[in-house]
Amino acid sequence: MGTTTATTSLGVGGEDRVMAAAQQIVKSLNTPKEVREDMLLILSSFDNRLSNITDLIQKDSDSTGVRFDAAEKVILRSNSCPFNPDASRHSLPWENSPDEAAEYLSAIDEILQLVVDMSIRSDNEIMDRAETAIQLAMSRLEDEFRLILIRNTVPLDADRLYGSIRRVSLSFASNKGEIDEEFESFAEVDSVRGCFHERGASLGDDLCVDLINADVFTDLKDIADRMIRSGYEKECVQAYINVRRDALDECLVILGVEKLSIEEVQKIEWKDLDEKMKKWIQAVKITVRVLLSGEKRLCDQIFNGFDSIKEICFNETAKGCVMQLLNFGEAVSIGKRSSEKLFRILDMYDVLADALPDFEMMITDEFVCSEAKGVLAGLGFAAKGTFVEFENAVKNEASKKPMQNGEIHPLTRYVMNYVKLLADYSETLNLLLESDEDETDGLQNKDGELENMTPFAKRLLLLISSLESNLEEKSKLYEDGALHCIFLMNNILYIVQKVKDSELGKLLGDNWVRKRRGQVRQYATSYLRACWIKALYCLKDEGIGGSSNNASKVTLKERFKNFNTCFEEIYRIQTAWKVPDPQLREELRISISEKVIPAYRSFMGRFGSQLESGRHSGKYIKYTPEDLENYLLDLFEGTPLILHHMRRKSS
């Protein structure tokens, strides 16, 4: 009775609303067909207005079949033309029109949805057809995905990238030919003389490169979404990895990085290896800042929403080029050590150390990250070992041929230019050398200045001390005590200037510089004593006999003659000696002049008149004080001159 009343009160409009609700249930229930039928039949038992529910179910079934047939037809039609990736155009919808592409994707979406709807109870024939259609569609999508990736890869513009690298060039040596081939310990570095060492190059902060044409991002993402939803993520991922891995390999070729085994790297001559190391350094910067960051953005866009797939694609794509770079770094780290390699190894260490945080942030593959850390440690160990070998080479360099003119020794030039460049790597070397404090224990007792010094500064002090000791030994090769002093003056002053005019000064401190300048002054004093004492003795009053008016003319003649001989011998020898620093050269001449000219002028004033009145006076009094002063200006120029047939100018 209640039911009849309710029906009457609702009327025809009520029935329509009930049927509309039932139809909405059919459409909105996201359940398999079997479950929907059971639920609707249960509803019909509660209300006779749903007595025609079976008709509704039949209509739903008919509608499903029509939808499936239409979607299947789109896929079969598009797949009817054989795929030809080598042709300039082919029949895939993306090549024909965006509308066809959209229709193709909609057809796939339709079948996927219908498969979900029919997954529990369905016509086996329809399910088989659906699986076949999806399989065909996925095969076609995989081909299209791969082709879009290949055709839209943007070639790497190496010129633009290299133009974006800011370069800082530092002169490795102040003069060409600074390393004499006779120094066997340094023979390997002979090829580096006079070259330039590039350091501090970095990419511009705003550098960003598209690895794929941006126009196809949407197409690639649409395809990837369908393949992953269809259970073909493995095929999609593999297609992506294969194409992009090859693209990154090609980028390394463009950057000049070759695939070489460790054995091949170790056989390369230094000149060629140096070029490959420079290219490697640039390639690591570009790989991290441009290639990997670009590849990461690409993966994020194409596989957005599929985090695990995105991670796999990026790791596997990046792995090949990263491992190629790491293999070269490992080969260098275990290669033969020689001093000329140190700067490149330090550059390699620095660039990899800078890149490692980005590597670890982008690449989640533990093996690759572990390899990168291992190579970094290997490069650090190689750099430290090479530095130690350089220290030993400086300490043990034992050439026995003295510099003929007392010039700056090639070893001094080499070592000081070398360590001057090393100062730019202070931060890195402090890190690498901080565990070797015992190396400087002996120096602590000697100088007592090491408490506030960095590890590198301490080792630098030790290295220069070894150089100074070596130079002291080399100075003993000179039989002439004056030349011994000139040699040490030249070399110590060169060391001081290199320290004072560079970052080395900050490392060693003002006190160190003052002490070495004091040494230069001491050597100057020793030079004057060793060289001019005999000449000055000739100008002494002792032994002449009598007063200035009745001194022995024979003795006076002998004194003037001996002085002239001494002066001319000094002039002949010391015009050939070389003092490169103009200030030191001038200071030495002034010191000589202050000692010799007043003594000569005084001696002439007291005794010259006794000889001037006699015959052949010009034979004994050859030079005026002004003559001597002018001749002193010729000393230390490195050009041997001779005073011969010289006569005193008549007054």
Side-chain angles (χ1 to χ4, degrees), residues 581-599:
D581 183 71
Q583 184 176 342
L584 177 60
R585 189 166 62 242
E586 182 63 21
E587 288 175 357
L588 281 173
R589 290 167 179 168
I590 291 172
S591 297
I592 296 168
S593 181
E594 288 174 347
K595 293 282 186 182
V596 175
I597 303 303

Side-chain angles (χ1 to χ4, degrees), residues 539-593:
L539 305 177
K540 297 285 187 181
D541 291 352
E542 292 85 349
I544 294 179
S547 67
S548 59
N549 293 324
N550 59 7
S552 168
K553 289 187 178 182
V554 174
T555 304
L556 286 176
K557 288 179 180 180
E558 188 67 24
R559 289 290 184 91
F560 274 106
K561 184 179 178 181
N562 288 342
F563 176 83
N564 294 337
T565 301
C566 283
F567 185 85
E568 289 167 4
E569 182 69 5
I570 291 173
Y571 183 88
R572 180 184 66 82
I573 293 173
Q574 296 192 21
T575 52
W577 292 359
K578 180 74 172 177
V579 176
D581 183 71
Q583 184 176 342
L584 177 60
R585 189 166 62 242
E586 182 63 21
E587 288 175 357
L588 281 173
R589 290 167 179 168
I590 291 172
S591 297
I592 296 168
S593 181

Side-chain angles (χ1 to χ4, degrees), residues 455-571:
F456 173 57
K458 293 177 183 179
R459 294 292 283 273
L460 183 62
L461 194 58
L462 185 64
L463 176 63
I464 296 179
S465 294
S466 294
L467 174 61
E468 290 172 328
S469 298
N470 197 317
L471 292 171
E472 182 66 38
E473 287 300 312
K474 293 185 188 305
S475 72
K476 296 175 183 178
L477 297 172
Y478 296 104
E479 294 181 3
D480 189 324
L483 186 55
H484 164 100
C485 294
I486 292 293
F487 173 78
L488 288 175
M489 263 192 291
N490 281 332
N491 284 271
I492 297 300
L493 181 62
Y494 184 86
I495 292 171
V496 169
Q497 288 172 334
K498 286 295 180 181
V499 169
K500 186 175 178 294
D501 298 338
S502 68
E503 290 298 311
L504 297 174
K506 296 178 182 177
L507 294 171
L508 298 180
D510 294 337
N511 189 45
W512 185 94
V513 172
R514 281 194 297 271
K515 282 186 177 182
R516 268 60 188 181
R517 287 197 180 280
Q519 286 181 349
V520 173
R521 289 192 295 271
Q522 289 173 6
Y523 288 128
T525 302
S526 298
Y527 157 79
L528 290 171
R529 187 181 302 116
C531 179
W532 292 95
I533 190 168
K534 185 178 179 181
L536 289 172
Y537 178 77
C538 297
L539 305 177
K540 297 285 187 181
D541 291 352
E542 292 85 349
I544 294 179
S547 67
S548 59
N549 293 324
N550 59 7
S552 168
K553 289 187 178 182
V554 174
T555 304
L556 286 176
K557 288 179 180 180
E558 188 67 24
R559 289 290 184 91
F560 274 106
K561 184 179 178 181
N562 288 342
F563 176 83
N564 294 337
T565 301
C566 283
F567 185 85
E568 289 167 4
E569 182 69 5
I570 291 173
Y571 183 88

Side-chain angles (χ1 to χ4, degrees), residues 339-363:
S339 55
E340 80 274 15
K341 292 181 181 179
L342 180 55
F343 298 102
R344 291 285 175 236
I345 293 174
L346 286 169
D347 284 337
M348 291 176 68
Y349 179 90
D350 283 345
V351 76
L352 187 55
D354 289 342
L356 191 58
D358 292 323
F359 272 145
E360 292 183 302
M361 184 173 63
M362 290 187 286
I363 299 174

